[in-house]
Each structure stands twice: as C-alpha cells, then as structure tokens.
Amino acid sequence: QVQLVESGGGLVQAGDSLRLSCAASGRTFSRSTMAWFRQVPGKEREFVAGVSTIPSRPYYEDSVKGRFIISRDNNKNTVYLQMNSLKPEDTAVYYCAADLRSWGISTIVREYDYWGQGTQVTVSS
C-alpha cells in the first residue's frame, strides 16, 4: 500500500512560481514512476509531468514544457513539481500519482495505482 500526500498549493499571481511536494509512504517509491496530473471542474484529469525510476528521466505535457520541472528524491520518498511562469490556465487541483507496474511514463490516468488527495493551485491574472 502506498499513501501520497501533496502540499504546496496556493493562490499566486500570473508569472509567479510555486513548488508542489508529494510525500510517499512505503518501500516501493524508488521503483515507482511518479507523475503529476491536474483537473479543473467539468474536465477530465490530465497529465502534467512524470518522472521515471532509474534512470530518473522526466516527461512533460507540451503546455508546461520550459516552465515546470519535475524531480524526485528517493532518499526522502518525495517527488516535486517546480512551477514557474504560472498562467491563469494552470489553475487546477493538482494530484500526485504513482505507477508501480510500468517502467516508462504513462500519461493515462488508469495506468496509475495510487493517488494523493490533491492540492489546489489558483493563478490570478
């Protein structure tokens, strides 16, 4: 069983930065692909960024490339999402997810085994 707890969300202005953190319990973190998704009311949850296990390689959705950075610290069982140059369209609930079965990075929601409770990010214009 894996538990994921996100933190770091909040209200910021366009152009500001935020760093989200996701702390994971359990011994499987280092073997798990980790990802961040986001969701706005009335829309499907969408992939934002993911990071594989060993080697730790990132993958980003096109709209966040060059602005967001995903990283992981296996010693702390934590994955981060550094969000820079935030835009109002980045406003959403952000979810951390763990995929214990795949070696690659999936962008598909159902491929992920565990989810956090979500943290709200609001970017004002």
Side-chain angles (χ1 to χ4, degrees), residues 58-78:
Y59 179 76
Y60 300 96
E61 189 269 330
D62 285 346
S63 69
V64 306
K65 283 181 181 177
R67 300 189 298 122
F68 290 11
I69 301 171
I70 188 170
S71 61
R72 65 189 299 161
D73 186 336
N74 289 339
N75 291 325
K76 296 182 178 180
N77 277 14
T78 301

Side-chain angles (χ1 to χ4, degrees), residues 31-53:
R31 302 195 302 271
S32 303
T33 293
M34 300 298 297
W36 288 94
F37 287 74
R38 64 188 179 188
Q39 189 170 23
V40 298
K43 292 190 175 182
E44 294 186 352
R45 194 168 295 187
E46 66 174 8
F47 175 86
V48 175
V51 59
S52 57
T53 53

Side-chain angles (χ1 to χ4, degrees), residues 84-100:
N84 302 318
S85 302
L86 282 161
K87 303 176 181 180
E89 51 263 43
D90 294 317
T91 295
V93 177
Y94 284 71
Y95 296 91
C96 175
D99 176 0
L100 275 62

